[in-house]
């Protein structure tokens, strides 16, 4: 399908005052109508973010895919033309003060290439497959805790603890310390779109713990990712202790909240689409795992866990979608908008678990494609399949309008998901 009905010159675009209001609580509940307007009328749209930073939003699929792979868009916050003004407003609160900036979301090649090569060993198909029994064990243990109660909050009791315990196991955090990690992670999620002080304090605690853990692991290396990072730093692979801590931190931060939202948003979508849920349950009863795999990809596309890709900054004047972006200006690729672009997806606002032509951007594109995507998919498939098999009559315990979404720029997820069954 051509794009003729969409393409406008900048001078032909409607007055910016006609653009929908962004970043309100109403917008957070359902941003998709606003994104449809932007795709149609202002596909590369300059806006002021809640933090006061001005940035460009890229909303069409083709433009988004181009931007995600464009080497002229740096991940390094120091490339921001207003880096002094933006200090503390770009990236994860507290990461700069805690000396945790040198991770994959903030660096470019060649450092990005070096660090990604080292960490990618943890997410090979073989290693992820070997981790599957532990994910199943965690999933069953969490369901056991509420199965007899006939009610639960599937965010706090299921979608949240599963990935945090999984990533702790992967990193090699001892079981007796994992509840501390859960508390710090809860603070980061709870305050992610609000006061930044709480997040910064949690980051400071995580940094102190990681320094201690690196010291303990160096004395007794194990078969875990933190031990692998230490081995790399001790054997000439040019990984400093700060880089090892920063890598562990970003795997914790990016590796759990995306999966929390994937499971939570996915369960909510299935509860709101009983026909699709029934199809999936029938397939699971018949031992057909194919619909589960395509279904998770569709849930990623339909209402994915990452609303916008993390920050990028133009290193030179760049033209995206006919719009010139000046050197140093921030660019945010709106994955949620791109993945509902009717120029790329047929009936994009329809949830179809059997959709096969589904090259969504839910985990990015290019060299910054999400490293932990295989683990997130494993956790989501295991969580959804196990829960639907064990509690097939799940239903929402509140009206959809009573649910609240966490405010924030990058992630998209529910605060709570109360459900009931068997009553």
């Amino acid at each position: 399908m051509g794009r003729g009905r969409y393409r406008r010159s900048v001078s032909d675009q409607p007055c910016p005052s006609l653009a929908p209001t962004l970043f309100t609580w109403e917008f957070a509940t359902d941003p998709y109508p606003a994104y449809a307007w932007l795709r149609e009328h202002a596909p590369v749209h300059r806006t002021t973010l809640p933090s006061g930073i001005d940035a460009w939003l890229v909303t069409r699929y083709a433009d988004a895919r181009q931007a995600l792979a464009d080497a002229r868009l740096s991940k390094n916050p120091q490339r921001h033309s207003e880096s002094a003004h933006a200090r503390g407003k770009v990236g994860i609160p507290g990461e700069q003060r805690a000396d945790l900036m040198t991770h994959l979301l903030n660096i470019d090649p060649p450092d990005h290439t070096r660090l990604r090569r080292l960490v990618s060993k943890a997410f090979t198909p073989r290693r992820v497959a070997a981790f599957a029994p532990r994910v199943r064990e965690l999933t069953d243990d969490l369901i056991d805790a509420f199965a007899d109660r006939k009610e639960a909050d599937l965010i706090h009791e299921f979608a949240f603890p599963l990935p945090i315990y999984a990533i702790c196991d992967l990193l090699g955090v001892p079981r007796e310390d994992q509840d501390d990690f859960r508390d710090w992670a809860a603070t980061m999620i709870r305050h992610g779109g609000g006061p930044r002080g709480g997040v910064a304090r949690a980051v400071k605690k995580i940094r102190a713990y990681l320094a201690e853990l690196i010291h303990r692991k160096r004395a007794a290396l194990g078969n875990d990712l933190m031990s692998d990072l230490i081995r790399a730093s001790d054997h000439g692979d040019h990984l400093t202790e700060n880089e090892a801590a920063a890598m562990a931190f970003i795997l914790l931060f990016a590796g759990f909240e995306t999966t929390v939202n994937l499971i939570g948003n996915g369960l909510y979508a299935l509860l709101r689409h009983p026909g699709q849920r029934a199809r999936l349950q029938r397939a699971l009863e018949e031992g057909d795992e194919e619909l589960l795999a395509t279904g998770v990809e569709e849930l990623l596309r339909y209402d994915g866990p990452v609303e916008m890709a993390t920050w990028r900054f133009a290193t030179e004047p760049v033209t995206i979608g006919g719009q010139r972006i000046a050197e140093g200006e921030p660019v945010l690729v709106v994955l949620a908008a791109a993945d509902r672009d009717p120029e790329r997806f047929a009936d994009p606002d329809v949830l179809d678990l059997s959709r096969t032509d589904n090259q969504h951007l839910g985990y990015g594109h290019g060299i910054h494609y999400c490293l932990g995507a295989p683990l997130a998919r494993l956790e989501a498939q295991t969580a959804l399949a196990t829960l639907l098999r064990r509690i097939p009559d799940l239903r929402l315990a509140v009206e959809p309008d009573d649910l609240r979404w966490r405010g924030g720029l990058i992630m998209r997820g529910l605060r709570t998901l109360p459900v009931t069954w068997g009553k």
Side-chain angles (χ1 to χ4, degrees), residues 308-362:
M308 299 187 189
T310 49
W311 296 79
R312 285 164 167 77
F313 308 91
T315 60
E316 61 184 76
V318 176
T319 298
I320 301 175
Q323 178 66 59
R324 185 180 185 277
I325 297 171
E327 180 180 351
E329 291 188 323
V331 175
L332 289 167
V333 178
V334 187
L335 306 180
D339 280 343
R340 291 215 189 179
D341 188 340
E343 293 296 302
R344 176 59 186 84
F345 300 100
D347 299 319
D349 295 321
V350 173
L351 180 69
D352 178 6
L353 299 184
S354 61
R355 189 187 298 267
T356 54
D357 182 16
N358 197 1
Q359 293 182 347
H360 61 77
L361 301 176

Side-chain angles (χ1 to χ4, degrees), residues 243-309:
E243 287 174 335
M247 288 302 307
F249 166 70
I250 201 58
L251 288 170
L252 170 71
F253 181 78
F256 87 89
E257 189 172 1
T258 53
T259 311
V260 173
N261 294 346
L262 173 56
I263 296 170
N265 296 4
L267 285 168
Y268 178 60
L270 292 174
L271 290 170
R272 295 296 309 278
H273 295 81
Q276 292 294 308
R277 171 184 160 186
R279 287 181 64 194
L280 180 56
Q281 288 179 305
R282 285 195 300 271
L284 293 172
E285 290 170 1
E286 295 167 0
D288 179 6
E289 300 287 329
E290 184 176 346
L291 189 66
L292 177 64
T294 60
V296 166
E297 298 309 303
E298 175 69 347
L299 294 169
L300 277 161
R301 183 202 68 82
Y302 180 77
D303 197 9
V306 183
E307 190 163 344
M308 299 187 189

Side-chain angles (χ1 to χ4, degrees), residues 206-273:
I206 291 171
R207 179 63 178 94
Y209 178 82
L210 289 175
E212 178 191 352
L213 184 63
I214 288 172
H215 177 74
R216 287 157 54 188
K217 290 284 183 183
R218 181 165 277 129
L221 294 174
N223 184 28
D224 54 70
L225 179 53
M226 182 61 81
S227 295
D228 288 348
L229 293 174
I230 293 168
R231 289 187 186 95
S233 62
D234 288 347
H235 290 86
D237 269 335
H238 310 294
L239 185 69
T240 68
E241 184 170 303
N242 278 345
E243 287 174 335
M247 288 302 307
F249 166 70
I250 201 58
L251 288 170
L252 170 71
F253 181 78
F256 87 89
E257 189 172 1
T258 53
T259 311
V260 173
N261 294 346
L262 173 56
I263 296 170
N265 296 4
L267 285 168
Y268 178 60
L270 292 174
L271 290 170
R272 295 296 309 278
H273 295 81

Side-chain angles (χ1 to χ4, degrees), residues 10-28:
V10 173
S11 62
D12 289 337
Q13 291 184 4
C15 175
S17 64
L18 299 177
T21 302
L22 307 179
F23 311 122
T24 64
W25 287 111
E26 293 78 11
F27 169 82

